[in-house]
Amino acid sequence: MIARSLTDKGRYWILILPALAIMLTFYIWPLVEIFGISFSEPRPGFDNYASMFDSRPIRTSFVITFRVAAITTIWCLVLGYIVSYAIYNTKPKYVGLMIALVLLPFWLSVLIRSFAWIVLLGRSGVVNDSLGAIGLIDKPLPLMHNEFGVILSMVHVMLPFAILPIMANMKGINPSYVDAARGLGASELRAFVSVYFPQTLPGVLSAALLVFVLSLGFYITPALLGGGRVLMISEYITYQIQELLNWGVGTSLSVALLLATAAVILAAGRFVNLRRTFLERG
Amino acid sequence: MSGDSFTFGQDDIEFKQDLGDITLERYKAGKIDRRSALAMLGALGLVPLLGDKALANAKELVLVNWGGKAKDVLQEIMGDTYAKEAGIKVVVDGAGPSAGKIRAMVESGAVVWDVCDSGPGSAIILGERGITQPIDYSIVDKANIIEPFTWEFGCANYFYSYTLCCNPTMLEAVPQNWADVWNVKDFPGKRTFRKSVRGMLEPAAMAMGAAPDEVYEFLGDEAGIKAAIQKYRDIREHVIVWPSGSMSQQLFLQEEVAIGCIWSTRAHLLKDEMPDGSFTTTFNEGVLSPGAWVVPKHNPAGTEQAMRFIAHSANPELQVKWLEAMGPGPANPAAAALVPEELKAWNPSSPENRATQTVYNDAWYAKNQIWAEELYVDALIN
Amino acid sequence: MTTAGRLEPVLSVRGAKKHYGEVRALDGVDLDIGEGEFLTLLGPSGSGKTTLLMAIAGFTSLDAGAFRLRGEDITDLPPDRRSFGMVFQGYALFPNMTVAGNISFPLKLRKWSKAEIDARVRECLELVQMESYADRMPNQLSGGQQQRVALARALSFKPSILLLDEPLSALDKKLRADLQWELKDLHRQLAVTFIYVTHDQDEALSMSDRIVILDHGQIQQIGLPDQLYNQPDTRFVADFLGKSNFLEAKVCERLGGALDCESGGERFNVTGESSSYNGADRVLLALRPERIRIGAQGTERFHGVVRQTSYLGERCHLILDHPGFGGVLVSAPTWRMTVRPEVGGEVSFGWDDDACVVLAEDQ
């Protein structure tokens, strides 16, 4: 019996072996290399990490990255919550349609969505032209090439990542809780605040973690809509490596971003069920 | 990663890649090129791994530039004409001959490139390291190349500039010099500058009153550099940066910016693409920058073939065709007179335009780029 | 319309209608509920009983009709202003609050002082014998314990009416029986009006003061448990509440209070209360299986062949074949069986004259 179950186990290992090999070759090993380079180029030692703390633009870039990710997260949570709540409180026949609309943007690349925003937000873009045409503004609003444009577009990209965990959470909440609260004398608002909202917190925290972590690594959107002034850390890494061929600093920044992200996830692990957030979504 | 100290002596490879993109846009007809496989391998840095003379042989001359349609233009204007003249097959590889790749190729002993489109910075460093061959000026006539752009290990092949461009329809008055560009009060509107510091501190220095020929003197010490950086800090609220040549073009096309410091080759395109009267360029206080041919040691076609090609490429008529095709200024002083009347004002290397420009100084960047770059980024984001 | 009789109605339902598309969940319901009464809404699923309860609670709005609470119209009042206690089918204890937190929730909403709340929470927990569970979270409790807490929470703010939506349906049979006694006991102690929804006829019969039987959104019959059981008005009620044999009979003669009937080639008298009898020639009779006696051949009037037997301990169920009646279900107490019926064997059976009930024609 034991021998039999071992061979069964062995069979499963063989099944995941190709995937594992690909991960090791194309993901883990390059990561190890990157880690190595950060300590060895141009000289062995901790120079890259020391200069990272000394460098004002790098510090600023980290601050910008965390700030933009945080603001994006907050907006995604607010809007994602409203959308999810609407989906579960609308007529059941529209639920499928609404979920499809939420998922639709996944079929468009981030690049295309960013260009779409450029068309909308430009100085002579759709929004400014329309507002100008109806006489609401007499000179174009600065809607992009700044943090506003970056965050707007990032919220757009990240919104489904906020909606899905919140929606999954709301789906599991029995509507009789709210009825019970109403029946016990709570107003609609009070029932929401005291009974419904606390039960959606796990979904909200999952969504927050997912959006924040993904936002930390954003590159295309800030590069296209930030006008060069919203320099997030992954763009800075590209800049160090492509522009300056500065592999040492570039890799050490990558390692720092990786560690910062890991720290965020570990800290969040105290409040969020990580397994559910990353593996059992939707 | 084989870069180490090579890194900062290197020329502006971004410009060269951009030159490739330009013709891509210009000659939209796309034909599949025969040697795209080689180009791809080259782009991945794999060519040197393929072994000695695997891909080149003495019966052909391999020119290397930065790909895109610039590859086809080089093939057509310089390569095919030389093939006819010398009776040797000429192929162009668009792999991008960065200093690091040339070094890796020469050091591995598997040289497949004959003549590379590089820049003066790389020419000097590669030569000093014994990686490239000296130019044989008995074959290449120095008189066919604008003074003083001939060096021991390389010579100018074309010119481009960082120029002041404007969209007059978005401005009350058109800025004539960098001092005007920094005057956001009288010349309101967004400005675009390059994301990298290269070619950007010179305009700032000139805006502070440095004459074109004094720019690098002005930037010669820390105080000068910090002053130039401060100029960017002063106007950063008005700045949108361009990370690529095509982006600089887009910013003008979409009227996102009214003023910019962009490559003359992109200006060359914009003059045709923008509506009449909505685009101007001046070479006044421009930053003139040459490209350079270099020849790796042990090149397969031999030194003489390489030198004879370089001499051929200096032909003024061919150089004018190059300008017409994609905007780079001729390296041969005799070419300026042959440029058609309507393009004369757009030639970065004409005597009139050279007179008002400063010349990009690779040595200065080799010394200062790394920390100037950091200060520049800081000025724009912090 | 029968009223509770003993007291003024605390809650009146008038002309309640609620349609979901083609489905008539409530189709003109009129009902008066007496003060302190234990009233059960009984019916199969889809009969409208839960819709009626939810409408009373205020979670479902009526298409037409009105509710009056002690004469005051509460039809349009939101649920939180009706102040009815409610116990949900799945208990609906707030999972983010402790037991005490759940029970004090309605008291905090009513701005009771902390001391009052503490005292009342303790009192309520004692009432349901859950004193030692105040600080537990709901997911740490068993189903029965959750049920007790839900009850304590619903009663904590001293509502005059308690609404219970199939509160025992999720529990196992034995626990359910225990809780039935406890609920009845609580009702007696508190003198609160209970409106209780169930689809379980035993539960309805054992606990209620009065039962309302609903089907297709309409009230079929209202009455005391024994009244409904012994004097069903309709075939539906007779069939739903317990089991019945149905006999179509021809009325041959009317003899005072009794009817001389003929059915399946047999003649017999029907003397049961026949308030439903409207003088027609043909009637439908309901005959409870436990009213039929069986005996050895010749001891009773009719003869049948045993088709099937089912031994249930205290009782034995038989299906007899009779050439005229067809299959007849008999439920006989085992201790009084004088014959041991074998499948295929012949037995005789009969019933008293008052065993049959005349049913009104079904709508």
Side-chain angles (χ1 to χ4, degrees), chain A residues 220-247:
Chain A
I220 294 170
T221 307
L224 286 175
L225 289 150
R229 304 267 320 280
V230 188
L231 189 65
M232 286 180 67
I233 207 71
S234 40
E235 195 188 349
Y236 203 62
I237 292 168
T238 318
Y239 179 72
Q240 287 287 334
I241 289 175
Q242 274 186 0
E243 183 76 22
L244 304 179
L245 300 181
N246 205 346
W247 281 81

PDB file of all heavy atoms in Angstrom, chain A residues 220-247:
ATOM      1  N   ILE A 220       4.135  50.419 -17.791  1.00  0.00           N
ATOM      2  CA  ILE A 220       3.710  51.007 -19.063  1.00  0.00           C
ATOM      3  C   ILE A 220       2.880  52.277 -18.853  1.00  0.00           C
ATOM      4  O   ILE A 220       3.151  53.321 -19.435  1.00  0.00           O
ATOM      5  CB  ILE A 220       2.889  49.973 -19.871  1.00  0.00           C
ATOM      6  CG1 ILE A 220       3.790  48.813 -20.271  1.00  0.00           C
ATOM      7  CG2 ILE A 220       2.282  50.620 -21.094  1.00  0.00           C
ATOM      8  CD1 ILE A 220       3.036  47.643 -20.860  1.00  0.00           C
ATOM      9  N   THR A 221       1.872  52.156 -17.996  1.00  0.00           N
ATOM     10  CA  THR A 221       0.964  53.284 -17.817  1.00  0.00           C
ATOM     11  C   THR A 221       1.680  54.548 -17.330  1.00  0.00           C
ATOM     12  O   THR A 221       1.514  55.612 -17.931  1.00  0.00           O
ATOM     13  CB  THR A 221      -0.170  52.890 -16.850  1.00  0.00           C
ATOM     14  OG1 THR A 221      -0.757  51.697 -17.343  1.00  0.00           O
ATOM     15  CG2 THR A 221      -1.195  53.966 -16.774  1.00  0.00           C
ATOM     16  N   PRO A 222       2.477  54.461 -16.248  1.00  0.00           N
ATOM     17  CA  PRO A 222       3.169  55.687 -15.827  1.00  0.00           C
ATOM     18  C   PRO A 222       4.115  56.212 -16.898  1.00  0.00           C
ATOM     19  O   PRO A 222       4.256  57.420 -17.059  1.00  0.00           O
ATOM     20  CB  PRO A 222       3.946  55.262 -14.586  1.00  0.00           C
ATOM     21  CG  PRO A 222       3.532  53.898 -14.243  1.00  0.00           C
ATOM     22  CD  PRO A 222       2.727  53.330 -15.353  1.00  0.00           C
ATOM     23  N   ALA A 223       4.747  55.292 -17.653  1.00  0.00           N
ATOM     24  CA  ALA A 223       5.684  55.748 -18.679  1.00  0.00           C
ATOM     25  C   ALA A 223       4.948  56.518 -19.766  1.00  0.00           C
ATOM     26  O   ALA A 223       5.445  57.524 -20.268  1.00  0.00           O
ATOM     27  CB  ALA A 223       6.426  54.555 -19.283  1.00  0.00           C
ATOM     28  N   LEU A 224       3.743  56.069 -20.112  1.00  0.00           N
ATOM     29  CA  LEU A 224       3.025  56.718 -21.205  1.00  0.00           C
ATOM     30  C   LEU A 224       2.240  57.942 -20.762  1.00  0.00           C
ATOM     31  O   LEU A 224       2.098  58.890 -21.509  1.00  0.00           O
ATOM     32  CB  LEU A 224       2.067  55.712 -21.863  1.00  0.00           C
ATOM     33  CG  LEU A 224       2.731  54.656 -22.733  1.00  0.00           C
ATOM     34  CD1 LEU A 224       1.704  53.653 -23.219  1.00  0.00           C
ATOM     35  CD2 LEU A 224       3.422  55.312 -23.916  1.00  0.00           C
ATOM     36  N   LEU A 225       1.708  57.897 -19.559  1.00  0.00           N
ATOM     37  CA  LEU A 225       0.809  58.972 -19.139  1.00  0.00           C
ATOM     38  C   LEU A 225       1.417  59.898 -18.097  1.00  0.00           C
ATOM     39  O   LEU A 225       0.798  60.868 -17.700  1.00  0.00           O
ATOM     40  CB  LEU A 225      -0.490  58.376 -18.596  1.00  0.00           C
ATOM     41  CG  LEU A 225      -1.381  57.760 -19.670  1.00  0.00           C
ATOM     42  CD1 LEU A 225      -2.190  56.617 -19.114  1.00  0.00           C
ATOM     43  CD2 LEU A 225      -2.293  58.818 -20.246  1.00  0.00           C
ATOM     44  N   GLY A 226       2.621  59.572 -17.649  1.00  0.00           N
ATOM     45  CA  GLY A 226       3.206  60.361 -16.561  1.00  0.00           C
ATOM     46  C   GLY A 226       4.022  61.543 -17.052  1.00  0.00           C
ATOM     47  O   GLY A 226       4.482  62.354 -16.261  1.00  0.00           O
ATOM     48  N   GLY A 227       4.260  61.635 -18.352  1.00  0.00           N
ATOM     49  CA  GLY A 227       5.040  62.740 -18.877  1.00  0.00           C
ATOM     50  C   GLY A 227       6.465  62.760 -18.345  1.00  0.00           C
ATOM     51  O   GLY A 227       7.123  63.781 -18.376  1.00  0.00           O
ATOM     52  N   GLY A 228       6.929  61.619 -17.826  1.00  0.00           N
ATOM     53  CA  GLY A 228       8.293  61.538 -17.314  1.00  0.00           C
ATOM     54  C   GLY A 228       8.428  62.057 -15.899  1.00  0.00           C
ATOM     55  O   GLY A 228       9.464  61.917 -15.266  1.00  0.00           O
ATOM     56  N   ARG A 229       7.384  62.638 -15.389  1.00  0.00           N
ATOM     57  CA  ARG A 229       7.476  63.240 -14.053  1.00  0.00           C
ATOM     58  C   ARG A 229       6.976  62.271 -12.981  1.00  0.00           C
ATOM     59  O   ARG A 229       7.229  62.468 -11.810  1.00  0.00           O
ATOM     60  CB  ARG A 229       6.658  64.526 -14.018  1.00  0.00           C
ATOM     61  CG  ARG A 229       7.060  65.547 -15.081  1.00  0.00           C
ATOM     62  CD  ARG A 229       8.078  66.511 -14.544  1.00  0.00           C
ATOM     63  NE  ARG A 229       7.757  66.880 -13.183  1.00  0.00           N
ATOM     64  CZ  ARG A 229       6.849  67.774 -12.852  1.00  0.00           C
ATOM     65  NH1 ARG A 229       6.188  68.423 -13.776  1.00  0.00           N
ATOM     66  NH2 ARG A 229       6.621  68.047 -11.597  1.00  0.00           N
ATOM     67  N   VAL A 230       6.208  61.262 -13.367  1.00  0.00           N
ATOM     68  CA  VAL A 230       5.731  60.261 -12.405  1.00  0.00           C
ATOM     69  C   VAL A 230       6.581  59.017 -12.608  1.00  0.00           C
ATOM     70  O   VAL A 230       6.174  58.042 -13.217  1.00  0.00           O
ATOM     71  CB  VAL A 230       4.249  59.947 -12.607  1.00  0.00           C
ATOM     72  CG1 VAL A 230       3.720  59.074 -11.492  1.00  0.00           C
ATOM     73  CG2 VAL A 230       3.441  61.230 -12.693  1.00  0.00           C
ATOM     74  N   LEU A 231       7.798  59.084 -12.091  1.00  0.00           N
ATOM     75  CA  LEU A 231       8.774  58.034 -12.367  1.00  0.00           C
ATOM     76  C   LEU A 231       8.627  56.937 -11.327  1.00  0.00           C
ATOM     77  O   LEU A 231       9.131  57.048 -10.217  1.00  0.00           O
ATOM     78  CB  LEU A 231      10.181  58.624 -12.343  1.00  0.00           C
ATOM     79  CG  LEU A 231      11.300  57.725 -12.820  1.00  0.00           C
ATOM     80  CD1 LEU A 231      11.133  57.406 -14.298  1.00  0.00           C
ATOM     81  CD2 LEU A 231      12.641  58.386 -12.587  1.00  0.00           C
ATOM     82  N   MET A 232       7.905  55.890 -11.684  1.00  0.00           N
ATOM     83  CA  MET A 232       7.756  54.781 -10.741  1.00  0.00           C
ATOM     84  C   MET A 232       8.957  53.868 -10.845  1.00  0.00           C
ATOM     85  O   MET A 232       9.698  53.883 -11.823  1.00  0.00           O
ATOM     86  CB  MET A 232       6.451  54.041 -10.989  1.00  0.00           C
ATOM     87  CG  MET A 232       5.264  54.862 -10.494  1.00  0.00           C
ATOM     88  SD  MET A 232       3.666  54.108 -10.737  1.00  0.00           S
ATOM     89  CE  MET A 232       3.725  52.710  -9.643  1.00  0.00           C
ATOM     90  N   ILE A 233       9.140  53.058  -9.807  1.00  0.00           N
ATOM     91  CA  ILE A 233      10.431  52.398  -9.652  1.00  0.00           C
ATOM     92  C   ILE A 233      10.718  51.433 -10.794  1.00  0.00           C
ATOM     93  O   ILE A 233      11.863  51.322 -11.233  1.00  0.00           O
ATOM     94  CB  ILE A 233      10.526  51.719  -8.256  1.00  0.00           C
ATOM     95  CG1 ILE A 233      11.977  51.629  -7.822  1.00  0.00           C
ATOM     96  CG2 ILE A 233       9.862  50.373  -8.232  1.00  0.00           C
ATOM     97  CD1 ILE A 233      12.587  52.941  -7.445  1.00  0.00           C
ATOM     98  N   SER A 234       9.697  50.769 -11.323  1.00  0.00           N
ATOM     99  CA  SER A 234      10.026  49.820 -12.391  1.00  0.00           C
ATOM    100  C   SER A 234      10.431  50.548 -13.670  1.00  0.00           C
ATOM    101  O   SER A 234      11.258  50.060 -14.433  1.00  0.00           O
ATOM    102  CB  SER A 234       8.870  48.854 -12.647  1.00  0.00           C
ATOM    103  OG  SER A 234       7.651  49.507 -12.576  1.00  0.00           O
ATOM    104  N   GLU A 235       9.879  51.752 -13.871  1.00  0.00           N
ATOM    105  CA  GLU A 235      10.339  52.543 -15.010  1.00  0.00           C
ATOM    106  C   GLU A 235      11.781  52.993 -14.768  1.00  0.00           C
ATOM    107  O   GLU A 235      12.599  53.028 -15.686  1.00  0.00           O
ATOM    108  CB  GLU A 235       9.416  53.748 -15.200  1.00  0.00           C
ATOM    109  CG  GLU A 235       9.592  54.420 -16.544  1.00  0.00           C
ATOM    110  CD  GLU A 235       8.828  55.731 -16.655  1.00  0.00           C
ATOM    111  OE1 GLU A 235       7.993  56.012 -15.772  1.00  0.00           O
ATOM    112  OE2 GLU A 235       9.072  56.456 -17.617  1.00  0.00           O
ATOM    113  N   TYR A 236      12.086  53.305 -13.532  1.00  0.00           N
ATOM    114  CA  TYR A 236      13.433  53.747 -13.198  1.00  0.00           C
ATOM    115  C   TYR A 236      14.437  52.615 -13.411  1.00  0.00           C
ATOM    116  O   TYR A 236      15.576  52.842 -13.820  1.00  0.00           O
ATOM    117  CB  TYR A 236      13.452  54.226 -11.744  1.00  0.00           C
ATOM    118  CG  TYR A 236      14.572  55.186 -11.433  1.00  0.00           C
ATOM    119  CD1 TYR A 236      14.644  56.419 -12.073  1.00  0.00           C
ATOM    120  CD2 TYR A 236      15.557  54.869 -10.508  1.00  0.00           C
ATOM    121  CE1 TYR A 236      15.666  57.300 -11.794  1.00  0.00           C
ATOM    122  CE2 TYR A 236      16.582  55.747 -10.224  1.00  0.00           C
ATOM    123  CZ  TYR A 236      16.628  56.974 -10.873  1.00  0.00           C
ATOM    124  OH  TYR A 236      17.644  57.840 -10.602  1.00  0.00           O
ATOM    125  N   ILE A 237      13.999  51.400 -13.116  1.00  0.00           N
ATOM    126  CA  ILE A 237      14.871  50.239 -13.340  1.00  0.00           C
ATOM    127  C   ILE A 237      15.182  50.119 -14.834  1.00  0.00           C
ATOM    128  O   ILE A 237      16.346  49.989 -15.230  1.00  0.00           O
ATOM    129  CB  ILE A 237      14.197  48.952 -12.822  1.00  0.00           C
ATOM    130  CG1 ILE A 237      14.104  48.983 -11.290  1.00  0.00           C
ATOM    131  CG2 ILE A 237      14.974  47.714 -13.279  1.00  0.00           C
ATOM    132  CD1 ILE A 237      13.218  47.908 -10.704  1.00  0.00           C
ATOM    133  N   THR A 238      14.149  50.201 -15.635  1.00  0.00           N
ATOM    134  CA  THR A 238      14.344  50.131 -17.088  1.00  0.00           C
ATOM    135  C   THR A 238      15.297  51.219 -17.543  1.00  0.00           C
ATOM    136  O   THR A 238      16.191  50.996 -18.363  1.00  0.00           O
ATOM    137  CB  THR A 238      12.998  50.340 -17.807  1.00  0.00           C
ATOM    138  OG1 THR A 238      12.006  49.621 -17.110  1.00  0.00           O
ATOM    139  CG2 THR A 238      13.064  49.883 -19.230  1.00  0.00           C
ATOM    140  N   TYR A 239      15.098  52.405 -16.999  1.00  0.00           N
ATOM    141  CA  TYR A 239      15.898  53.559 -17.350  1.00  0.00           C
ATOM    142  C   TYR A 239      17.371  53.317 -16.991  1.00  0.00           C
ATOM    143  O   TYR A 239      18.270  53.565 -17.787  1.00  0.00           O
ATOM    144  CB  TYR A 239      15.312  54.730 -16.575  1.00  0.00           C
ATOM    145  CG  TYR A 239      15.980  56.055 -16.748  1.00  0.00           C
ATOM    146  CD1 TYR A 239      15.846  56.748 -17.938  1.00  0.00           C
ATOM    147  CD2 TYR A 239      16.696  56.619 -15.706  1.00  0.00           C
ATOM    148  CE1 TYR A 239      16.431  57.990 -18.074  1.00  0.00           C
ATOM    149  CE2 TYR A 239      17.277  57.849 -15.835  1.00  0.00           C
ATOM    150  CZ  TYR A 239      17.152  58.544 -17.019  1.00  0.00           C
ATOM    151  OH  TYR A 239      17.722  59.769 -17.147  1.00  0.00           O
ATOM    152  N   GLN A 240      17.592  52.772 -15.805  1.00  0.00           N
ATOM    153  CA  GLN A 240      18.975  52.497 -15.383  1.00  0.00           C
ATOM    154  C   GLN A 240      19.630  51.488 -16.316  1.00  0.00           C
ATOM    155  O   GLN A 240      20.796  51.621 -16.661  1.00  0.00           O
ATOM    156  CB  GLN A 240      18.993  51.929 -13.949  1.00  0.00           C
ATOM    157  CG  GLN A 240      18.690  52.944 -12.871  1.00  0.00           C
ATOM    158  CD  GLN A 240      19.831  53.913 -12.645  1.00  0.00           C
ATOM    159  OE1 GLN A 240      20.983  53.604 -12.901  1.00  0.00           O
ATOM    160  NE2 GLN A 240      19.511  55.112 -12.198  1.00  0.00           N
ATOM    161  N   ILE A 241      18.874  50.487 -16.714  1.00  0.00           N
ATOM    162  CA  ILE A 241      19.479  49.414 -17.487  1.00  0.00           C
ATOM    163  C   ILE A 241      19.550  49.776 -18.967  1.00  0.00           C
ATOM    164  O   ILE A 241      20.593  49.619 -19.598  1.00  0.00           O
ATOM    165  CB  ILE A 241      18.704  48.100 -17.259  1.00  0.00           C
ATOM    166  CG1 ILE A 241      18.977  47.619 -15.830  1.00  0.00           C
ATOM    167  CG2 ILE A 241      19.144  47.039 -18.268  1.00  0.00           C
ATOM    168  CD1 ILE A 241      18.197  46.415 -15.411  1.00  0.00           C
ATOM    169  N   GLN A 242      18.461  50.319 -19.512  1.00  0.00           N
ATOM    170  CA  GLN A 242      18.469  50.616 -20.940  1.00  0.00           C
ATOM    171  C   GLN A 242      19.259  51.869 -21.265  1.00  0.00           C
ATOM    172  O   GLN A 242      20.034  51.900 -22.210  1.00  0.00           O
ATOM    173  CB  GLN A 242      17.035  50.788 -21.441  1.00  0.00           C
ATOM    174  CG  GLN A 242      16.413  49.466 -21.826  1.00  0.00           C
ATOM    175  CD  GLN A 242      15.056  49.655 -22.454  1.00  0.00           C
ATOM    176  OE1 GLN A 242      14.580  50.775 -22.605  1.00  0.00           O
ATOM    177  NE2 GLN A 242      14.436  48.558 -22.836  1.00  0.00           N
ATOM    178  N   GLU A 243      19.055  52.893 -20.495  1.00  0.00           N
ATOM    179  CA  GLU A 243      19.654  54.181 -20.811  1.00  0.00           C
ATOM    180  C   GLU A 243      21.100  54.239 -20.331  1.00  0.00           C
ATOM    181  O   GLU A 243      21.981  54.664 -21.038  1.00  0.00           O
ATOM    182  CB  GLU A 243      18.832  55.281 -20.136  1.00  0.00           C
ATOM    183  CG  GLU A 243      19.285  56.674 -20.440  1.00  0.00           C
ATOM    184  CD  GLU A 243      18.863  57.103 -21.833  1.00  0.00           C
ATOM    185  OE1 GLU A 243      17.904  56.518 -22.383  1.00  0.00           O
ATOM    186  OE2 GLU A 243      19.500  58.007 -22.365  1.00  0.00           O
ATOM    187  N   LEU A 244      21.319  53.811 -19.103  1.00  0.00           N
ATOM    188  CA  LEU A 244      22.636  53.983 -18.515  1.00  0.00           C
ATOM    189  C   LEU A 244      23.450  52.691 -18.514  1.00  0.00           C
ATOM    190  O   LEU A 244      24.585  52.694 -18.095  1.00  0.00           O
ATOM    191  CB  LEU A 244      22.502  54.490 -17.071  1.00  0.00           C
ATOM    192  CG  LEU A 244      21.698  55.784 -16.898  1.00  0.00           C
ATOM    193  CD1 LEU A 244      21.622  56.176 -15.434  1.00  0.00           C
ATOM    194  CD2 LEU A 244      22.343  56.902 -17.692  1.00  0.00           C
ATOM    195  N   LEU A 245      22.863  51.587 -18.970  1.00  0.00           N
ATOM    196  CA  LEU A 245      23.522  50.272 -18.913  1.00  0.00           C
ATOM    197  C   LEU A 245      24.071  50.013 -17.521  1.00  0.00           C
ATOM    198  O   LEU A 245      25.099  49.407 -17.331  1.00  0.00           O
ATOM    199  CB  LEU A 245      24.639  50.189 -19.955  1.00  0.00           C
ATOM    200  CG  LEU A 245      24.193  50.375 -21.397  1.00  0.00           C
ATOM    201  CD1 LEU A 245      25.366  50.246 -22.337  1.00  0.00           C
ATOM    202  CD2 LEU A 245      23.122  49.376 -21.753  1.00  0.00           C
ATOM    203  N   ASN A 246      23.357  50.537 -16.545  1.00  0.00           N
ATOM    204  CA  ASN A 246      23.807  50.477 -15.163  1.00  0.00           C
ATOM    205  C   ASN A 246      23.178  49.267 -14.489  1.00  0.00           C
ATOM    206  O   ASN A 246      22.256  49.381 -13.698  1.00  0.00           O
ATOM    207  CB  ASN A 246      23.361  51.779 -14.483  1.00  0.00           C
ATOM    208  CG  ASN A 246      24.234  52.118 -13.312  1.00  0.00           C
ATOM    209  OD1 ASN A 246      25.001  51.276 -12.846  1.00  0.00           O
ATOM    210  ND2 ASN A 246      24.126  53.337 -12.845  1.00  0.00           N
ATOM    211  N   TRP A 247      23.669  48.094 -14.830  1.00  0.00           N
ATOM    212  CA  TRP A 247      23.052  46.858 -14.343  1.00  0.00           C
ATOM    213  C   TRP A 247      23.104  46.740 -12.837  1.00  0.00           C
ATOM    214  O   TRP A 247      22.187  46.213 -12.213  1.00  0.00           O
ATOM    215  CB  TRP A 247      23.736  45.642 -14.977  1.00  0.00           C
ATOM    216  CG  TRP A 247      23.255  45.423 -16.366  1.00  0.00           C
ATOM    217  CD1 TRP A 247      23.673  46.067 -17.481  1.00  0.00           C
ATOM    218  CD2 TRP A 247      22.247  44.504 -16.778  1.00  0.00           C
ATOM    219  NE1 TRP A 247      22.989  45.624 -18.581  1.00  0.00           N
ATOM    220  CE2 TRP A 247      22.103  44.652 -18.174  1.00  0.00           C
ATOM    221  CE3 TRP A 247      21.450  43.579 -16.104  1.00  0.00           C
ATOM    222  CZ2 TRP A 247      21.205  43.894 -18.909  1.00  0.00           C
ATOM    223  CZ3 TRP A 247      20.553  42.832 -16.836  1.00  0.00           C
ATOM    224  CH2 TRP A 247      20.428  42.996 -18.230  1.00  0.00           C
TER     225      TRP A 247
END
